[in-house]
Amino acid sequence: MKLVFKLTFFLFALVTFSEKSTSLTKYQIKKICKKEIRELTCIKNLLEKKSDLQKGKYIEIKVIPYKR
């Protein structure tokens, strides 16, 4: 019984966390870049990174600090 519970929990966790690694949609990209000074450049860069990510290339991601 414990084995079934552990296996079920493991599969649930695997499915839940695997969906978080998807790339951004165009709407999310526009929403992020709306705050930037050069909005079109930001959109272009993020779309290029998205296509590289989908092709399987490594990309460098800038971390934006959370402000309350």
Side-chain angles (χ1 to χ4, degrees), residues 22-34 46:
T22 59
S23 59
L24 297 172
T25 62
K26 288 186 179 182
Y27 176 75
Q28 290 172 329
I29 290 174
K30 288 180 182 179
K31 188 176 176 182
I32 292 170
C33 291
K34 189 179 283 188
L46 286 178

Side-chain angles (χ1 to χ4, degrees), residues 17-30 32 45-57 59 61:
F17 294 121
S18 66
E19 293 182 16
K20 304 234 182 219
S21 64
T22 59
S23 59
L24 297 172
T25 62
K26 288 186 179 182
Y27 176 75
Q28 290 172 329
I29 290 174
K30 288 180 182 179
I32 292 170
N45 289 337
L46 286 178
L47 287 174
E48 286 177 2
K49 288 180 182 183
K50 177 181 175 179
S51 67
D52 287 344
L53 182 64
Q54 289 175 344
K55 291 177 186 175
K57 297 179 182 178
I59 60 170
I61 301 173

Side-chain angles (χ1 to χ4, degrees):
M1 187 68 180
K2 287 184 181 181
L3 180 63
V4 173
F5 177 71
K6 287 181 181 181
L7 182 62
T8 306
F9 183 71
F10 175 73
L11 291 175
F12 177 73
L14 186 65
V15 171
T16 303
F17 294 121
S18 66
E19 293 182 16
K20 304 234 182 219
S21 64
T22 59
S23 59
L24 297 172
T25 62
K26 288 186 179 182
Y27 176 75
Q28 290 172 329
I29 290 174
K30 288 180 182 179
K31 188 176 176 182
I32 292 170
C33 291
K34 189 179 283 188
K35 301 172 188 174
E36 296 291 324
I37 294 173
R38 297 183 180 178
E39 185 177 349
L40 294 176
T41 306
C42 175
I43 292 172
K44 180 183 171 188
N45 289 337
L46 286 178
L47 287 174
E48 286 177 2
K49 288 180 182 183
K50 177 181 175 179
S51 67
D52 287 344
L53 182 64
Q54 289 175 344
K55 291 177 186 175
K57 297 179 182 178
Y58 290 110
I59 60 170
E60 189 174 315
I61 301 173
K62 177 180 141 184
V63 177
I64 301 171
Y66 177 73
K67 295 181 181 177
R68 288 186 159 197

